[in-house]
Amino acid sequence: MANRFFSAGIKRFIFGTRTLCASAPSHTFALKQPFKHRHALKNRILSLKSPTESAIPALQNWFDQGNNLSRFDLRRVSGALLKSKRYHHALEVFKWMENQKNFHLVPADHAVKLEIIIKVYGLMKAEEYFMSIPDSAAKKVASIPLLRGYVSDRDTSKAESFMVKLYELGLMVSPHPYNEMMKLYLATCEYRKVPLVIQQMKRNRIPCNVLSYNLWMNAYGEGEGYGVAAVETVFRLMQNDGNVEVGWSSLATLANVYIKAGQSDKAIQVLKIAEKKLSTCNRLGYFFLITLYTSLKEKEGVLRLWEASKAVGGKISCANYISILTCMVKLGDIVEAKRIFTEWESNCHKYDIRVSNVLLGAYVRNGLIEEAESLHIHTLERGGCPNYKTWEILIEGFVKSQKMDEAIIAMKRALALVKDCDWRPPQGLILAIAEYLEKHGNFDYANKYITEVHNFGLANLTLYKILLRMHISANKSPFHILKMMEKDKVEMDNETLSILKDFTG
């Protein structure tokens, strides 16, 4: 099935004369309601007590009260709901639109609706919806989010079959589906399939766009048997393609190939050319290049681009500060990292603990536990709210410096966050605290601690053996420990059986 995309049975798709191009028709909608009305409707839906409670009655009541709504209004409301991750309600907005006589979904609406269906119900329901779309123009546009769903799931078989189906349905597509397939093959390390996709594009007279060339270069850079020369050949093809402008992203791709091949001088030359192509309106490219300069240990280039990025209009985001701080820490310049952190603090309106965590981690990894503690206290004074990563970093620092009482307090606070997120403390840190409690004979707290760890599903045989040994020393029954081990399906080893014999004499 994995090779069906390239089988003889789809020669019509590979060698057919039909070209692939898709463009959604452009529509302009009149704004019938002031923005405050849309805002009020969005708030009415967001105020529903449960995210799964139907939003349709709220929509219908709003409409029945004489509040006329255009498709433009409803799209804006749906978009706001998506940003708030109220996917169920966003989907109901589209369902309500479909049931109104005065509304007709345009191709772009079908694409957005399909994306939401994937989030709410999964790919199977999305497939059913795609096949139910009667309009071929809408199918063209909706095919991309469905294909991206397969790519996200790393489902090569379904993605390849879907590409075949697109042709069989007579749908003409742009380079975008091909690019999605190349992304999939890169993600699944099937690098040799990428040039086959390029061949199909040529046979179907589909021109490569910038992303196509970048993905092609990446495949040659990663796959065995290609090498730098193959990547350079693709880059020259791109340079000679009059329909494509070589920008910073393509140069960054080439530079990254040189870096991986150990050709640092070539990489630096290419990065300097890429710098000249950076936008004066968007910071994205600056931080791509900053990351590459960091991997080359070129601090001068990092700082030059960091300063240049400040000339771009708009506020420098916390994500940008996290990126530059991470780079400075990787370069080993904690002094410069601290200066940049101070700069962020002087400009921030809302304290984002993720920014300070970068510097906190650098202090701990470098054995600067006093600086780490001082920074932690400072962030609390500034209104920072510690997250799981903050506590993990502090626990690691306290364990390394043998400040075990502080480590125990930090672990207790970290475990309080476990129920609200997917994070789990590293087993090494959990074990270090248990060993400390055993060493100092703190039976009562060890019992509470390991029981709590068990309740979060984090206990293992090593922890249970510690608790069993402590029960022997305290002459306490191990019955509840055995119950916990049974619940966790932890099998005993010979050492555990030997410990248990001591209870029976």
Side-chain angles (χ1 to χ4, degrees):
M1 186 64 184
N3 294 320
R4 186 181 171 193
F5 190 43
F6 307 108
S7 67
I10 60 169
K11 285 182 179 178
R12 285 188 303 113
F13 172 65
I14 297 176
F15 299 105
T17 58
R18 279 181 282 187
T19 59
L20 299 152
C21 79
S23 61
S26 175
H27 293 270
T28 303
F29 305 104
L31 183 63
K32 294 182 180 179
Q33 285 292 108
F35 172 77
K36 64 179 182 179
H37 284 189
R38 292 196 309 270
H39 192 65
L41 176 58
K42 179 198 72 173
N43 288 341
R44 182 176 292 191
I45 297 173
L46 287 173
S47 68
L48 296 173
K49 291 182 179 180
S50 170
T52 58
E53 184 180 351
S54 178
I56 290 178
L59 276 166
Q60 191 62 49
N61 289 338
W62 181 265
F63 188 75
D64 291 342
Q65 290 168 7
N67 297 298
N68 293 323
L69 288 169
S70 69
R71 183 165 60 246
F72 177 81
D73 299 328
L74 290 166
R75 277 170 138 189
R76 292 289 294 269
V77 170
S78 178
L81 292 168
L82 284 173
K83 285 183 180 179
S84 301
K85 297 186 178 180
R86 300 291 285 263
Y87 304 124
H88 180 76
H89 290 154
L91 182 58
E92 287 192 318
V93 171
F94 281 101
K95 288 180 178 178
W96 185 84
M97 286 171 64
E98 286 180 300
N99 291 328
Q100 305 306 307
K101 293 180 180 179
N102 297 328
F103 290 105
H104 173 71
L105 296 189
V106 298
D109 293 329
H110 285 287
V112 174
K113 184 180 176 183
L114 192 141
E115 283 189 81
I116 303 172
I117 289 173
I118 293 174
K119 293 181 182 296
V120 177
Y121 297 115
L123 281 168
M124 190 174 294
K125 286 289 185 183
E127 290 168 341
E128 293 175 8
Y129 177 71
F130 177 81
M131 293 309 298
S132 73
I133 299 173
D135 180 59
S136 62
K139 264 192 166 74
K140 291 179 200 174
V141 182
S143 66
I144 300 302
L146 183 53
L147 183 57
R148 282 178 184 150
Y150 296 137
V151 173
S152 179
D153 274 12
R154 304 289 189 265
D155 197 329
T156 304
S157 178
K158 281 196 173 183
E160 290 172 346
S161 296
F162 186 62
M163 288 291 283
V164 176
K165 185 179 293 184
L166 289 178
Y167 181 83
E168 291 174 346
L169 290 171
L171 299 177
M172 296 182 293
V173 292
S174 68
H176 302 310
Y178 292 103
N179 291 342
E180 292 299 323
M181 291 304 299
M182 287 190 277
K183 287 179 190 176
L184 176 58
Y185 293 140
L186 284 168
T188 55
C189 302
E190 299 176 89
Y191 304 117
R192 291 199 171 273
K193 285 188 176 182
V194 170
L196 295 178
V197 176
I198 296 294
Q199 287 176 22
Q200 291 158 19
M201 294 179 73
K202 290 178 180 178
R203 288 163 182 159
N204 288 281
R205 299 177 182 178
I206 305 300
C208 289
N209 61 14
V210 171
L211 181 56
S212 307
Y213 282 112
N214 289 351
L215 293 168
W216 191 4
M217 285 193 287
N218 272 320
Y220 279 170
E222 295 287 348
E224 292 183 11
Y226 294 116
V228 173
V231 177
E232 290 174 330
T233 298
V234 175
F235 184 73
R236 283 193 292 271
L237 288 172
M238 185 181 186
Q239 286 179 308
N240 294 328
D241 188 336
N243 297 315
V244 173
E245 181 181 352
V246 178
W248 67 263
S249 66
S250 301
L251 290 160
T253 300
L254 179 60
N256 192 41
V257 170
Y258 285 140
I259 292 169
K260 289 180 178 179
Q263 299 182 20
S264 300
D265 290 341
K266 281 189 174 182
I268 291 171
Q269 288 176 7
V270 171
L271 287 174
K272 286 182 177 178
I273 297 171
E275 285 186 48
K276 297 176 182 178
K277 294 181 176 288
L278 288 170
S279 170
T280 57
C281 304
N282 191 311
R283 290 192 180 87
L284 179 65
Y286 291 83
F287 288 91
F288 264 93
L289 301 191
I290 282 172
T291 301
L292 292 174
Y293 271 126
T294 301
S295 64
L296 288 163
K297 305 295 182 185
E298 283 286 318
K299 185 166 68 174
E300 182 183 338
V302 171
L303 292 175
R304 180 176 65 251
L305 277 172
W306 166 240
E307 291 302 320
S309 74
K310 296 178 184 179
V312 176
K315 183 182 177 183
I316 302 175
S317 69
C318 287
N320 293 152
Y321 274 105
I322 290 171
S323 179
I324 186 62
L325 283 170
T326 301
C327 289
M328 294 316 301
V329 167
K330 285 181 179 178
L331 291 168
D333 195 338
I334 295 181
V335 174
E336 184 63 26
K338 185 177 179 180
R339 186 193 68 77
I340 293 172
F341 174 73
T342 302
E343 175 187 307
W344 168 75
E345 272 198 328
S346 66
N347 294 311
C348 74
H349 297 293
K350 185 178 180 181
Y351 211 93
D352 190 332
I353 201 69
R354 295 174 301 170
V355 181
S356 59
N357 279 350
V358 179
L359 189 57
L360 186 71
Y363 284 149
V364 167
R365 285 191 296 275
N366 285 275
L368 304 171
I369 190 61
E370 290 184 5
E371 285 85 345
E373 288 183 86
S374 177
L375 175 60
H376 177 58
I377 293 169
H378 172 74
T379 58
L380 295 177
E381 291 172 346
R382 287 294 305 268
C385 182
N387 62 9
Y388 67 87
K389 192 63 182 178
T390 312
W391 294 120
E392 181 181 328
I393 294 168
L394 288 170
I395 295 166
E396 180 185 345
F398 290 139
V399 168
K400 280 183 177 180
S401 59
Q402 288 300 295
K403 292 187 173 185
M404 297 307 294
D405 290 339
E406 289 90 336
I408 290 169
I409 294 169
M411 179 63 80
K412 186 175 181 180
R413 290 175 178 171
L415 289 174
L417 298 175
V418 166
K419 58 186 177 183
D420 298 321
C421 66
D422 295 329
W423 170 83
R424 295 294 180 265
Q427 278 292 327
L429 298 180
I430 292 174
L431 181 60
I433 290 175
E435 290 173 340
Y436 170 80
L437 294 171
E438 180 184 18
K439 180 179 178 180
H440 289 79
N442 194 332
F443 173 81
D444 289 335
Y445 189 76
N447 198 41
K448 291 178 182 176
Y449 172 67
I450 294 178
T451 299
E452 187 176 12
V453 169
H454 155 78
N455 291 337
F456 284 118
L458 302 173
N460 57 27
L461 181 59
T462 305
L463 286 170
Y464 286 128
K465 284 194 281 191
I466 288 173
L467 198 54
L468 285 170
R469 287 194 296 267
M470 293 186 76
H471 273 64
I472 290 176
S473 299
N475 197 26
K476 300 285 185 180
S477 170
F479 182 72
H480 74 286
I481 307 173
L482 299 177
K483 281 288 186 183
M484 288 192 292
M485 292 176 69
E486 182 181 0
K487 186 176 180 180
D488 288 344
K489 297 180 180 179
V490 173
E491 295 185 7
M492 298 185 192
D493 59 7
N494 291 332
E495 183 184 0
T496 312
L497 294 172
S498 177
I499 293 171
L500 286 173
K501 284 181 181 179
D502 292 335
F503 281 104
T504 58

